[in-house]
Structure formats: C-alpha cells, structure tokens
Amino acid sequence: MGVPRRHRVPVVLLAIAEVLASCTITLGGSDAASERPEPEPAVPAPSASPSAQGSAVSAPGRLAIVDDSGALYTTLADGSDRVELAGAGDAMIMASQPAWSPDGSLLAWVVSDPQSASITGTIVVSGPRGEDPIVTPTPFAPFYLSWSPTGDRVAFLGPGSDTRSSVQMGVLDLGEGEPQVRPVTAGDPFLYFAWSPDGQGLLAHAGFDRLEQIDLAGGEPSSLTSRPGLFATPDWSDDGRTLVYVERGPRGVQRLVSVVDGERPVTLVKGKAALSFVLTPDGRSVAYQMLGERDGDLFDRRPTEPGDGVRVIDLRSGVDRRATSIRAMTFWWSPDGERLLTLAPEPASEGAIPFLWQIWDGRRVIDVAGRHSPTLVLLRDYAPFFTQYAQSTTPWSPDGSAFAFPVTAPDGSSQIVVQEVGGDPSVVADGAYVTWSP
C-alpha cells in the first residue's frame, strides 16, 4: 500500500474511491503479466518498458515524491540531488498531498502521525530542498492542498467537525507577518473549488445546491448557479476571462457551460452522463469526457465503443473534436495548452488490465511509456478526483518536454518513471506518487 489514508474524505467521494480500490487491480507492469499467476492477457506484449537505469533526463524543475512509507523527498528529473524533506526513517511522521507553489519556489505538504487520534493537522511549507520550513497547525486534518495563483495562500480541505458538515475548508495565509489559518465559512459542505486568478476569492461548490464566488476579504458570496453538476470541478482561465463549470438541467441532463468576459452562459455540450473536464490555462480550449453509468467502470472489459474517450472544444470557434478513442481515467494539459496527456486502462478480455499513457497534439494521438501498472495510491487517492488535482498539481515538466508518473514494478515495489516526449521511459526513483514543479 502507498501513502496511507489517514483522514476520512467526504462520504460520497470516499465511496467513489472505494469502488476503485475494491476492484481486482492485477495490472501488468511492463513485462510483468507473464510473471504473475494470472491468465495470459489477451493483449499484445508491451511495446516499451521503463529502463531499470535512470537516463540523463534534462527537463527542468524538481520532482516531489512520496514513497510507500510516507516519506517525502525532492529530486531533479533524473533522480539525482535527492533531498529528504519529511518522514525518512521515522515511522511516526508521514507526509502526503505535496503541492508546489505557482512559481515552483515553495512546496507545501501535510504531516501527520498515523498513531495519533487527533483530528487536527499540520501543513509544512518550505523551499524545494527543505529550506526555511514553516510549520503551521490546522484545526482539522487536511486531505487536499491548493496554492493561490499569487502564491501567498494555501487553501485546504478536510473532514467536517460534525455529521452536518462532511467537508470544511481553511486558508493558510503566508503574507506578511506570521502565517495565519482561518476557516472559510461561506459553504457547508465544500466539495470542489477553483481559485480566482487574483488569489482573492474562490469559485466553490458550497453544499450540493450552490456554486458560489466567495470573497476571502469577507464580502458576501454570490451564486453562479443553484444547480451545479455533482462532483465536477469548476475551472477558471489564468486571465480570469473564462469560467467553465457543469450545471444540472431537468430530467438528469448535465450541461457543460462557459462564461466569457461576464457574458451570458453558453452551453457547450449536454447529455445524460457524468461530465469531467479540464480547461487550458489560456482558456481557449476545454477537454471533456462524458461517461454513462456503465462507462464509469474504467475496469470494464468491454471493447471501447466509437466516440468514447476524451473530446476537445475550441471555445473560439466552437469546433468539437475527438482527442482519444479510449475512456480515460485522467487527462492533463501541458503547461502551454498545446498537448493533452491521458491515462487510460486498455480493455482486455482476460488477465491483467494494462494502462496506457497517450499524448494528443491536436492532430494525432501517440502512445507513450508502454503498458504498465499504476500504483494503488494513484488509482485510489488521486485519479478519482483528478479534475481537482489538475488545478494544483501536474505530471508535466515546466517546459512540457517530459512527464512523470508512478508505477508498480513486477516485484510489487513502487517506482517513479520519467518519460521524455519522443524518448524512452526511465525509472528514476522509488515512490508511490509524484508531482512536478511548475
């Protein structure tokens, strides 16, 4: 098992995660399927496998990695210059939820004691190599962190204090003076949210029936819609001109809606299916996926139907194109918004279910990194909520030349792989979860 789940997440969200965790995830590694006591997979052998030796990866930035024991460290892209930040050799300290500041100069993470029954938590903020750590207690134990675009605040979610509130939110203010933690009380419970580009407010699901703009300076919240899509993260372009969110219509219809420059909402696509989406940083395109009730089982062995997969809408022209033909578990835009990275299980009639990374560049889809088995931590703790994590973490390097991801090796260990676009995948470190600095 990877990073322990030390705190309860919202009941409905936990149910989603438990569905994934309860699946028989006997996934084949690069060439692992034949080494496990499983039926022979009815899929071709992997076309590529991560090298056992790290290569000279030259992508910039640093990797923040959490290993199976809950220790946190950072490295360069090739695995060198490893710096331990938390938990190394100390079973009483575990780190989770690493999140880089927008300029990559700071890293925030949650520290907890797995033996403690305390409902409080701790957030640590330091430089990439552990410089000048700031340790701040929190009134509840966070299970998600997200930096403001201005890099001076960290919003966090955690379990509610009573049965009425399943999720609550706080903000760690790192401005001038001593760090301050204050609750955000405009919603109950909080579910998914997006920072305003100026870092002064939030667009948040407040309960199940309001999508609100919340002013952190204390102004009255304003409602964007009273029928937000369930478990759909709103998104805001970097320049603040474009908002995209999901709205529930009559008779179970879900609508993907955009608002540009404060004009009237425009319905981009609608249907009786669950909608997940990610907006490009410049607000020009939105990648989305509609999954019906049966399609939601990403471990379904049925062949993928034509039209399944991720689609992309150009918000200027309205052109809607299919990006992939395989139902994706996660999808992430590159930093420049030019390429879309997807992770999808490849249907197999029997045996191990391999996973595959694909990159869509606007013209074609290429398979990268070979078939592999993700870590349970990625499948259980992050992938079910990827649209929220797409706003606070990234597998991409800052220049979009590579991406990093965790895999389960044939011997059961967790490893970090770096894949350079156009190159070969390479194992660079041990670890169950990874995020790349901006």
Side-chain angles (χ1 to χ4, degrees), residues 140-388:
F140 54 89
F143 52 63
Y144 174 74
L145 305 180
S146 179
W147 284 87
S148 67
T150 49
D152 58 353
R153 290 169 167 164
V154 180
F156 55 96
L157 298 177
S161 58
D162 54 47
T163 57
R164 185 175 59 88
S165 177
S166 60
V167 191
Q168 55 186 323
M169 179 186 289
V171 170
L172 168 61
D173 194 329
L174 297 168
E176 297 181 2
E178 291 294 318
Q180 294 185 352
V181 171
R182 56 194 176 98
V184 178
T185 58
D188 185 10
F190 285 103
L191 297 174
Y192 296 93
F193 69 92
W195 277 101
S196 63
D198 62 5
Q200 300 302 307
L202 302 160
L203 181 63
H205 284 255
F208 294 93
D209 57 0
R210 303 187 315 281
L211 182 60
E212 293 187 341
Q213 290 185 244
I214 299 170
D215 181 3
L216 293 179
E220 287 295 319
S222 60
S223 178
L224 194 63
T225 175
S226 61
R227 297 182 61 84
L230 294 177
F231 315 114
T233 314
D235 212 342
W236 216 320
S237 63
D238 287 350
D239 61 10
R241 295 182 57 193
T242 305
L243 289 175
V244 180
Y245 57 93
V246 176
E247 186 174 47
R248 300 194 314 276
R251 296 180 294 278
V253 171
Q254 300 262 19
R255 296 193 292 254
L256 184 61
V257 176
S258 68
V259 177
V260 179
D261 291 334
E263 298 292 335
R264 292 175 60 86
V266 174
T267 297
L268 302 174
V269 66
K270 61 183 178 180
K272 290 187 176 181
L275 268 166
S276 56
F277 70 92
V278 178
L279 184 68
T280 53
D282 61 12
R284 293 186 176 185
S285 299
V286 59
Y288 74 94
Q289 183 170 244
M290 299 183 70
L291 294 178
E293 184 176 346
R294 293 185 64 190
D295 296 329
D297 180 6
L298 292 172
F299 298 93
D300 190 344
R301 295 185 181 275
R302 294 176 301 148
T304 301
E305 297 293 332
D308 286 350
V310 182
R311 302 185 65 88
V312 173
I313 299 177
D314 186 311
L315 296 185
R316 296 164 297 180
S317 66
V319 173
D320 187 332
R321 294 182 291 170
R322 186 174 70 178
T324 72
S325 58
I326 304 177
R327 291 186 297 271
M329 175 168 279
T330 68
F331 42 98
W332 308 76
W333 286 108
S334 59
D336 61 6
E338 295 296 322
R339 287 175 291 187
L340 186 68
L341 175 68
T342 67
L343 175 64
E346 195 172 51
S349 60
E350 59 182 7
I353 299 177
F355 277 68
L356 185 67
W357 287 102
Q358 295 183 317
I359 293 177
W360 179 75
D361 62 5
R363 297 169 300 166
R364 62 191 179 112
V365 174
I366 58 172
D367 296 345
V368 289
R371 298 171 180 83
H372 69 283
S373 171
T375 59
L376 179 60
V377 171
L378 177 63
L379 293 175
R380 181 194 63 197
D381 296 355
Y382 293 90
F385 322 111
F386 82 92
T387 57
Q388 184 70 77

Side-chain angles (χ1 to χ4, degrees), residues 417-431:
V417 175
V418 169
Q419 169 72 58
E420 290 190 291
V421 178
D424 294 324
S426 180
V427 174
V428 300
D430 59 296

Side-chain angles (χ1 to χ4, degrees), residues 19-66:
V19 168
L20 290 174
S22 65
C23 295
T24 305
I25 308 177
T26 52
L27 307 175
S30 300
D31 294 299
S34 62
E35 300 179 74
R36 298 187 179 191
E38 301 170 344
E40 187 70 19
V43 294
S47 58
S49 60
S51 167
Q53 302 295 324
S55 62
V57 180
S58 58
R62 292 185 73 83
L63 307 178
I65 299 169
V66 180

Side-chain angles (χ1 to χ4, degrees), residues 63-67 71-75 82-85 416 429-431:
L63 307 178
I65 299 169
V66 180
D67 69 15
L72 171 68
Y73 62 95
T74 67
T75 74
R82 175 168 171 157
V83 179
E84 308 287 348
L85 270 65
I416 302 302
D430 59 296

